[in-house]
């Protein structure tokens, strides 16, 4: 398709007048039936790279995406723009809907599937009969064992990809170290790949690390900061509880700011309300866990604060990436207190089962020669206090060695001791890897060098010159900070006026 | 408001039930026992008004009442209102006149109605302001479909609809206290502003999030009941769900009902459905609350039924065990439950 036409199509379907950096080259490669591997920073508009081809090409585009909320949001957005033949297939769909969807797969331009759905044989079979024009792997870094968000489900991608007779692939990610990039291409065995790797660094952000002696100084520091700079702010926490409690504390201290918390335990109604309040500037500050931000594209976030250090550089980059999407200056402030190092370690422990749990569960499993997976799952969740992440890990490992096949555990072919050894080795390796990741993050916090260079060195050899100040080790000075303050206007209505305003009466 | 509802429930349960019966009642658990209790203790209005209530949150509220010494537990673990609690209840007696809940008959429809109202206002104001692209604040497919359908079939301009809706709400809301109206309006989302969560409302109005939920739903129940009574509010009426009187039967009881109508006996049904006889009997009790057509004398003769009813009113209790002990041996629990159910037809 000629260049002009591409722009016209972009305008027609999405209403944007021009492409952003990188989008057009990627779309052209995709339309030329090439395998494409692209690293684009968060917020740069990765989704257009497959959504536009889905609209202008024949056939169906399949997108594998690990984030349920993200795909649901994307589908909603596209529908709102008038693109109706899109759907997200995930475990949340009712059986009835799934059935009707499966019957008319070919009528969709774009289908999002969650990785766990790739286990569904019926779906795979139907997909292999459909006319698939492009196979998109979103958040492709999840394939890599070395990636920070490795997902066992993603290893099935290769198998599925082969069953679909290897249509052109588009692998997308925002964060991939060079190590991970290679791993992704090796896993999918992609040949003749056209790669588009865009600079990860963000010239409009400045980096600051605040070391504190006492934990309490974090909240007081944040509170002073926000008093001075009442700008759209996200504060990241690694625990839901603390996101809530610090939120309450800040509400007390900063009565002129509107502050809310957001984490995975909120119900859907509240999530939608809080997200949209933040987007609509009805909230100034959001205290959140990493659950927030996926699919949020507020362009004028000026301050991203980390109350806790993330467990790896990649997460950190992703989270600070939500600041200043409009290109205006913004600041990242990370708070660190010496005992913080135990938190990420604890998080690791909550993700991987410990040896004694594994031993206990295997003892149970090996009392029988055949067991339904559901039974094992129930048992596991019972004895592990509902540790679902740990269960998924175990299930995948048992499938990998063939002990679980077609939802049945069959122990007769295995020695309990061997299985145990194997699992222990994997857990050990993963723990070592995760610890290494934490170490990298910690090194960045402790570094005396330029934070910008240190942060991006895993991804690219050079960084661009920052448009404002660089970091607290180069030139950062709060006195020089000029963030535009936002004043809130609030009116006191009587109820009749409030109702009239709400329903657009008499204005 | 939530506290009074809790106290009211506890008071009516007369020290014969645990707090979990109240939890099941408020969340509208479809079980024979819950349905039966809500009739027996005259709590049908609260049945299913708060399906989203989390058990842990409920427990916190109960603990609060306990700490305030408004409630107490007897040796069976059943819950009672203390004299302090009763004072509070008496003091707020006239508040209950302002409660419009009708859960047993309408909880499903009112929830749909509430969410449809929210989504409709969001949709209508956005379109009137010519902003066609927005993220629906109500995520449920069923509601989105419902509102879309309504939208498709209205000939009026959005501006006309909004003006009409404005007039309707102006009239209906006037029945409530100013603070309640403010909470109701703050919860709504329009193109002008995104609504507040119940927790945010709670902070703003110094209540609990359960209170603000109940305040909002109370107004919705009122509006809905006015419409049911035939009040002619043209726009609001459009939002009423079509699916009237969804039966209260559990799916399994429905299947039993089908077989029952074909003339099968309890034992036959149990064999056919591979369920226990007890389970089928529970289904039949459930059915007895909603159906008049069945010839119930097959299960409990008119005379037996009468003596069960008499015993119950003499004993002034709804405790099955006590009733059973005061009746002749051959009258079964099943017959007692059935007789109690038939009382409310
Ligand atoms: N060419 C473009 N012009 C203007 N806005 C765009 C363009 N491409 C994408 N966007 C917008 O940028 C935001 C981020 O896009 P998204 O695909 O969600 O980013 P990513 O997945 O890379 O984080 C979205 O609001 C999207 O609509
Ligand atoms: Zn620097």
């Amino acid at each position: 398709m000629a260049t002009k036409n591409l722009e016209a199509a972009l305008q027609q379907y999405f209403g944007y007048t021009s492409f952003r950096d990188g989008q057009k080259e990627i779309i052209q490669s995709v339309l030329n039936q090439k395998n494409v591997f692209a690293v684009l920073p968060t917020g740069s508009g990765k989704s257009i790279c497959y959504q536009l081809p889905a609209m202008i090409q024949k056939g169906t585009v399949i997108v594998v995406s690990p984030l349920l909320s993200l795909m649901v949001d994307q589908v909603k957005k596209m529908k709102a723009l008038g693109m109706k033949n899109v759907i997200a297939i995930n475990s949340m769909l009712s059986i009835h809907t799934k059935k009707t969807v499966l019957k008319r797969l070919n009528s969709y331009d774009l289908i999002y599937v969650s990785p766990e759905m790739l286990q569904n044989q019926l779906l795979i079979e139907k997909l292999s009969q459909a006319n698939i024009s492009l196979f998109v792997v979103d958040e492709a870094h999840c394939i890599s064992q070395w990636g920070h968000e490795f997902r066992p489900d993603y290893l099935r991608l290769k198998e599925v990809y082969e069953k679909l007779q290897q249509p052109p692939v588009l692998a997308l990610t925002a964060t991939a170290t060079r190590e991970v990039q290679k791993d992704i291409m090796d896993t999918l065995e992609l040949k003749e790949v056209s790669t588009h790797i865009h600079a990860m660094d963000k010239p409009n952000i400045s980096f600051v690390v605040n070391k504190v002696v006492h934990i309490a100084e974090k909240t007081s520091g944040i509170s002073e900061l926000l008093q001075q700079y009442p700008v759209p702010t996200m504060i990241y926490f690694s625990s839901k509880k603390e996101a809530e409690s610090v939120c309450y504390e800040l509400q007390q201290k900063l009565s002129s700011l509107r502050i809310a918390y957001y984490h995975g335990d909120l119900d859907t109604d509240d999530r939608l309300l809080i997200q949209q309040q933040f987007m609509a500037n009805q909230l100034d500050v959001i205290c959140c866990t990493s659950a927030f931000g996926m699919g949020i594209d507020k362009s004028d976030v000026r301050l991203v604060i980390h109350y806790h250090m993330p467990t790896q550089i990649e997460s950190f980059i992703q989270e600070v990436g939500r600041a200043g999407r409009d290109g205006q200056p913004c600041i990242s402030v990370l708070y660190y207190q010496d005992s913080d190092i135990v938190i990420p370690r604890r998080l690791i422990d909550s993700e991987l089962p410990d040896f004694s749990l594994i031993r206990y569960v295997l003892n149970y499993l090996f009392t029988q020669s055949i067991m339904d997976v559901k039974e094992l799952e129930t048992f596991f969740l019972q004895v592990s206090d509902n540790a679902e992440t740990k269960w998924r890990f175990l299930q995948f490992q048992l499938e990998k060695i063939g002990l679980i096949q077609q939802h049945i555990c069959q122990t007769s072919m295995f020695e309990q001791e061997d299985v145990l050894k194997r699992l222990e080795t994997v857990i050990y390796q993963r723990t070592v890897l995760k610890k290494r990741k934490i170490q990298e993050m910690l090194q960045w916090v402790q570094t005396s060098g330029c934070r910008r260079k240190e942060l991006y060195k895993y991804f690219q050899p050079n960084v661009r010159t920052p448009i404002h100040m660089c970091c607290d080790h180069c030139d950062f000075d709060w006195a020089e900070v000029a963030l535009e303050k936002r004043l809130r206007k609030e009116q006191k209505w009587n109820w009749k006026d409030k109702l009239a305003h709400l329903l657009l009466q008499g204005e | 408001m939530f506290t009074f509802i809790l106290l009211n429930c506890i008071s009516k349960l007369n020290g014969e039930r645990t707090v979990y019966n109240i939890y099941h009642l408020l969340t509208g658990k479809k079980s024979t026992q819950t349905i039966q209790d809500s009739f027996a203790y005259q709590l049908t209005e609260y049945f299913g008004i708060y399906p989203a209530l989390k058990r842990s949150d409920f427990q916190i509220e109960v603990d609060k009442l306990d700490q305030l010494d408004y409630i107490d537990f007897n040796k069976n673990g059943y819950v009672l209102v203390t004299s302090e609690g009763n004072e509070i209840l008496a003091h707020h007696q006239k508040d209950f006149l302002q409660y419009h809940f009708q859960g047993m008959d309408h909880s499903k429809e009112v929830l749909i109605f509430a969410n449809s109202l929210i989504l409709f206002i969001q949709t209508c104001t956005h379109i009137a302001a010519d902003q066609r692209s927005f993220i629906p604040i109500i995520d449920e497919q069923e509601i989105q479909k419902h509102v879309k359908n309504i939208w498709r079939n209205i000939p009026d301009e959005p501006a006309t609809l909004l003006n009409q809706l404005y007039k309707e709400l102006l009239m209906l809301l006037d029945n409530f206290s100013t603070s309640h109206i403010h909470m109701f309006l703050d919860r709504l989302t329009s193109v002008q502003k995104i609504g507040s969560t119940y927790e945010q409302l709670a902070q703003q109005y110094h209540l609990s999030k359960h209170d603000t939920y109940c305040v909002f739903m109370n107004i919705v129940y009122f509006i809905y009941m006015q419409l049911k009574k035939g009040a002619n509010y043209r726009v609001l009426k459009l939002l009423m769900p079509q699916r009237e009187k969804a039966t209260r039967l559990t799916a399994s009881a429905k299947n039993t009902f089908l077989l029952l109508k074909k003339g099968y006996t309890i034992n036959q049904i149990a064999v056919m459905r591979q369920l226990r006889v007890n389970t089928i009997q529970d289904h039949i009790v459930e059915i007895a609350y909603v159906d008049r057509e069945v010839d119930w004398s097959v299960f409990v003769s008119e005379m037996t039924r009468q003596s069960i009813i008499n015993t119950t009113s003499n004993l002034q209790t709804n405790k099955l065990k006590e009733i059973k002990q005061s009746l002749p041996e051959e009258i079964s629990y099943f017959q007692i439950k059935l007789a109690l159910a038939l009382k409310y037809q």
Side-chain angles (χ1 to χ4, degrees):
Chain A
M1 188 179 273
T3 304
K4 268 241 193 60
N5 294 346
L6 267 189
E7 250 118 36
L10 180 72
Q11 168 91 41
Q12 180 195 338
Y13 289 104
F14 297 92
Y16 303 138
T17 43
S18 60
F19 285 104
R20 287 195 181 156
D21 258 4
Q23 285 177 336
K24 193 160 165 190
E25 294 75 19
I26 295 170
I27 292 173
Q28 272 166 341
S29 300
V30 165
L31 293 177
N32 287 332
Q33 310 286 312
K34 293 220 177 87
N35 288 327
V36 181
F37 178 77
V39 183
L40 279 181
T42 319
S44 57
K46 283 193 292 294
S47 31
I48 298 283
C49 298
Y50 54 83
Q51 286 171 347
L52 189 63
M55 291 303 129
I56 59 187
Q57 254 183 327
K58 283 217 184 80
T60 305
V61 171
I62 303 288
V63 184
V64 182
S65 171
L67 285 160
L68 213 77
S69 57
L70 193 80
M71 62 192 195
V72 174
D73 284 352
Q74 293 278 8
V75 168
K76 271 186 210 154
K77 252 190 179 164
M78 293 184 73
K79 287 200 165 155
L81 285 166
M83 292 166 271
K84 303 291 183 201
N85 295 326
V86 292
I87 187 149
I89 303 185
N90 54 51
S91 45
M92 312 277 275
L93 284 187
S94 71
I95 299 195
H96 177 72
T97 321
K98 256 184 229 163
K99 269 193 193 143
T100 26
V101 169
L102 283 181
K103 273 202 204 114
R104 44 185 292 251
L105 274 186
N106 259 327
S107 70
Y108 291 102
D109 295 323
L110 187 99
I111 301 176
Y112 283 93
V113 280
S114 58
E116 84 268 9
M117 284 302 299
L118 295 177
Q119 288 182 59
N120 186 318
Q121 290 307 321
L122 184 63
L123 175 67
I124 300 306
E125 196 184 307
K126 292 280 180 194
L127 284 177
S128 64
Q129 290 157 13
N131 175 18
I132 308 293
S133 58
L134 179 67
F135 187 70
V136 183
V137 183
D138 199 8
E139 312 289 338
H141 58 273
C142 298
I143 293 182
S144 169
Q145 301 253 19
W146 313 116
H148 61 297
E149 290 173 323
F150 168 61
R151 283 172 172 262
D153 286 335
Y154 258 56
L155 285 180
R156 297 207 178 79
L157 278 178
K158 178 161 177 271
E159 196 187 315
V160 173
Y161 169 57
E162 275 161 7
K163 285 216 180 102
L164 300 186
Q165 282 129 44
Q166 313 195 326
V169 172
L170 168 61
L172 289 165
T173 174
T175 50
T177 58
R178 285 176 248 186
E179 195 180 16
V180 171
Q181 290 172 18
K182 185 171 172 328
D183 209 23
I184 295 171
M185 295 200 248
D186 289 352
T187 310
L188 288 176
E189 292 177 22
L190 292 184
K191 291 179 204 92
E192 296 163 47
V193 183
S194 134
T195 44
H196 300 257
I197 295 178
H198 285 261
M200 305 265 311
D201 60 317
K202 215 177 150 75
N204 60 331
I205 200 166
S206 314
F207 294 99
V208 178
V209 173
N210 280 347
K211 288 195 187 154
V212 296
V213 181
H214 301 290
I215 298 277
E217 291 170 56
K218 291 189 179 185
T219 314
S220 56
I222 292 173
S223 148
E224 277 165 36
L225 202 60
L226 292 174
Q227 196 122 46
Q228 188 107 40
Y229 305 102
V231 292
T233 302
M234 301 172 77
I235 311 178
Y236 277 100
F237 296 80
S238 42
S239 102
K240 297 173 193 163
K241 251 218 200 104
E242 276 173 291
E244 268 183 54
S245 64
V246 173
C247 170
Y248 292 135
E249 222 176 306
L250 291 174
Q251 282 173 343
Q252 293 292 318
K253 289 187 171 160
L254 302 163
S255 54
S256 67
L257 289 182
R258 295 154 303 174
I259 307 171
Y261 66 85
Y262 181 106
H263 54 59
D265 284 354
L266 290 184
D267 62 32
T268 321
D269 285 356
D270 287 1
R271 279 194 218 195
L272 280 169
L273 287 170
I274 301 279
Q275 276 183 13
Q276 294 200 40
Q277 287 170 6
F278 190 55
M279 302 276 285
N281 291 330
Q282 284 171 231
L283 284 174
D284 306 296
V285 179
I286 201 120
C287 299
C288 58
T289 61
S290 53
F292 189 77
M294 305 290 180
I296 298 290
D297 57 70
K298 186 173 170 56
S299 64
D300 61 351
V301 176
R302 296 284 166 254
L303 206 50
V304 170
I305 298 175
H306 279 86
Y307 186 92
H308 294 125
M309 176 184 97
T311 50
Q312 61 251 314
I313 298 268
E314 284 94 328
S315 311
F316 183 67
I317 289 184
Q318 218 156 43
E319 287 160 8
V320 299
R322 308 219 161 89
R325 287 188 173 198
D326 55 4
Q328 296 300 307
C330 53
I331 304 171
S332 147
V333 183
L334 182 145
Y335 281 86
Y336 183 76
Q337 197 268 346
D338 279 332
S339 65
D340 282 356
I341 189 64
V342 301
I343 301 167
R345 301 236 161 100
R346 217 184 301 134
L347 283 178
I348 295 187
D349 291 339
S350 71
E351 283 168 19
L352 294 167
D354 56 67
F355 292 177
S356 62
L357 175 63
I358 291 286
R359 210 164 290 152
Y360 189 66
V361 172
L362 287 185
N363 277 342
Y364 176 75
L365 175 62
F366 274 81
T367 51
Q368 293 169 41
S369 57
I370 287 187
M371 185 184 292
D372 195 275
V373 171
K374 275 271 165 270
E375 185 187 338
L376 188 64
E377 178 174 355
T378 311
F379 178 79
F380 187 95
L381 292 179
Q382 240 166 35
V383 298
S384 67
D385 197 16
N386 278 318
E388 281 177 35
T389 324
K390 295 181 185 178
W391 162 249
R392 280 206 305 275
F393 172 86
L394 179 68
Q395 183 184 20
F396 173 73
Q397 294 302 333
L398 294 179
E399 279 179 23
K400 206 169 155 195
I401 59 173
L403 196 150
I404 297 180
Q405 282 180 15
Q406 264 121 33
H407 305 286
I408 304 284
C409 311
Q410 232 172 334
T411 54
S412 47
M413 305 285 286
F414 295 87
E415 286 294 327
Q416 186 173 345
E417 272 310 301
D418 291 347
V419 177
L420 181 66
K421 275 239 174 56
R422 219 171 147 145
L423 289 172
E424 285 179 349
T425 316
V426 180
I427 292 171
Y428 177 74
Q429 285 170 346
R430 303 268 326 137
T431 312
V432 169
L433 172 74
K434 295 211 163 197
K435 288 205 170 131
R436 199 185 87 198
K437 292 278 180 197
I438 295 175
Q439 211 49 45
E440 284 172 6
M441 187 70 229
L442 193 61
Q443 264 168 22
W444 183 82
V445 171
Q446 310 281 25
T447 186
S448 53
C450 168
R451 296 202 187 277
R452 181 178 305 276
K453 287 189 188 134
E454 288 292 312
L455 185 65
Y456 294 112
K457 72 177 180 196
Y458 302 97
F459 305 90
Q460 59 196 54
N462 302 306
V463 292
R464 288 166 283 179
T465 323
I467 62 164
H468 196 47
M469 290 182 278
C470 177
C471 71
D472 52 354
H473 288 157
C474 292
D475 56 354
F476 188 85
D477 182 357
W478 281 107
E480 296 290 314
V481 172
L483 295 176
E484 192 195 331
K485 296 173 191 177
R486 216 172 48 197
L487 285 175
R488 79 195 267 210
K489 44 179 193 309
E490 192 154 286
Q491 273 158 296
K492 278 262 172 264
W493 312 86
N494 70 42
W495 76 260
K496 288 182 182 168
D497 290 344
K498 200 182 238 181
L499 178 64
H501 175 72
L502 188 86
L503 297 181
L504 311 174
Q505 297 304 300
E507 276 172 39
Chain B
M1 186 177 232
F2 185 69
T3 315
F4 300 139
I5 293 176
L6 270 189
L7 277 179
N8 194 11
C9 290
I10 295 172
S11 154
K12 286 194 174 167
L13 285 179
N14 212 10
E16 297 177 358
R17 290 290 181 269
T18 70
V19 288
Y20 297 108
N21 294 99
I22 301 174
Y23 177 73
H24 295 320
L25 171 82
L26 294 174
T27 53
K29 185 179 176 194
K30 279 183 172 181
S31 76
T32 315
Q33 157 116 57
T34 309
I35 294 173
Q36 195 171 316
D37 281 355
S38 41
F39 279 103
Y41 296 100
Q42 284 148 35
L43 289 167
T44 47
E45 71 243 54
Y46 298 132
F47 181 87
I49 60 169
Y50 199 173
L53 179 61
K54 286 193 191 124
R55 202 168 171 127
S56 51
D57 277 350
F58 173 78
Q59 189 61 52
I60 291 172
E61 296 304 308
V62 170
D63 292 347
K64 273 192 213 154
L65 290 182
D66 192 15
Q67 261 153 29
L68 289 167
D69 279 331
Y70 290 168
I71 59 168
D72 206 352
F73 299 88
N74 65 22
K75 62 181 188 313
N76 294 323
Y78 296 152
V79 64
L80 290 162
V81 179
T82 61
S83 48
E84 282 99 326
N86 271 321
E87 249 169 64
I88 296 288
L89 268 179
H91 194 72
H92 290 272
Q93 202 55 47
K94 65 177 189 319
D95 286 15
F96 289 108
L97 297 175
Q98 304 292 329
Y99 289 12
H100 304 283
F101 301 104
Q102 288 292 332
M104 181 60 87
D105 291 331
H106 303 295
S107 67
K108 285 261 161 54
E109 291 80 15
V110 171
L111 279 173
I112 297 175
F113 180 73
N115 284 335
S116 307
L117 177 64
I118 290 174
L119 186 56
F120 183 78
I121 290 177
Q122 190 195 16
T123 310
C124 209
T125 54
H126 273 84
I127 292 181
D130 210 19
Q131 292 191 20
R132 281 171 186 271
S133 149
F134 60 92
I135 296 176
I137 205 75
I138 300 290
D139 199 46
E140 289 157 76
Q141 289 295 314
E142 189 191 355
I143 306 291
Q144 293 188 3
K145 262 194 211 133
H146 180 51
V147 172
K148 241 183 236 159
N149 252 336
I150 297 167
W151 198 250
R152 228 177 266 143
N153 296 317
I154 307 182
D156 309 61
E157 288 295 311
T160 324
L161 286 172
L162 284 176
N163 184 255
Q164 177 63 24
L165 183 62
Y166 169 68
K167 288 182 193 151
E168 293 177 7
L169 286 175
L170 209 53
M171 273 207 272
L172 286 159
L173 292 177
D174 214 12
N175 292 289
F176 292 88
S177 71
T178 318
S179 67
H180 283 200
I181 303 173
H182 274 289
M183 280 183 245
F184 177 82
L185 294 176
D186 288 350
R187 172 70 183 173
L188 298 176
T189 293
S190 93
V191 69
Q192 303 278 24
K193 57 116 199 172
I194 307 293
S196 303
T197 66
Y198 291 119
E199 186 170 342
Q200 288 171 328
L201 290 179
Q203 285 182 332
Q204 195 180 338
Y205 294 92
H206 307 289
L207 294 168
S208 81
K209 64 179 176 191
H210 311 297
D211 290 328
T212 54
Y213 171 82
C214 290
V215 166
F216 182 82
M217 287 310 290
N218 187 41
I219 295 183
V220 178
Y221 267 96
F222 173 75
I223 297 175
Y224 188 82
M225 292 317 293
Q226 292 299 111
L227 295 168
K228 282 263 19 142
K229 283 182 203 148
N232 195 17
Y233 296 99
R234 194 167 63 83
V235 176
L236 288 166
K237 214 171 190 165
L238 293 169
L239 300 173
M240 291 173 81
Q242 300 301 316
R243 190 177 56 102
E244 256 313 290
K245 196 91 192 167
T247 92
R248 299 191 284 271
L249 293 183
T250 53
S252 187
K254 262 185 216 155
N255 288 332
T256 296
F257 193 20
L258 287 177
L259 296 171
L260 191 68
K261 281 200 278 197
K262 286 189 183 153
Y264 293 103
T265 68
I266 293 182
N267 285 329
Q268 285 169 330
I269 297 174
V271 172
M272 291 164 77
R273 301 203 52 203
Q274 302 200 358
L275 292 170
R276 292 182 315 138
V277 168
N278 267 340
T279 311
I280 303 296
Q281 289 179 337
D282 272 347
H283 291 165
I284 288 179
V285 174
E286 233 183 275
I287 295 163
Y289 279 101
V290 294
D291 192 273
R292 289 155 207 264
E293 325 269 276
V294 180
D295 176 13
W296 297 105
S297 64
V298 179
F299 305 110
V300 51
S301 71
E302 192 47 39
M303 217 172 68
T304 313
R305 198 174 72 87
Q306 209 49 58
S307 68
I308 296 172
I309 297 300
N310 291 341
T311 312
T312 320
S313 40
N314 288 341
L315 287 174
Q316 292 271 347
T317 182
N318 286 301
K319 279 188 185 161
L320 292 178
K321 204 164 172 189
E322 278 178 35
I323 301 172
K324 172 99 168 94
Q325 278 161 0
S326 317
L327 283 163
E329 189 79 37
E330 66 272 13
I331 297 182
S332 68
Y333 275 114
F334 169 55
Q335 288 174 316
I336 298 172
K337 286 194 220 168
L338 195 55
L340 290 177
L342 292 171
K343 219 166 76 171
Y344 298 100
Q345 274 203 349

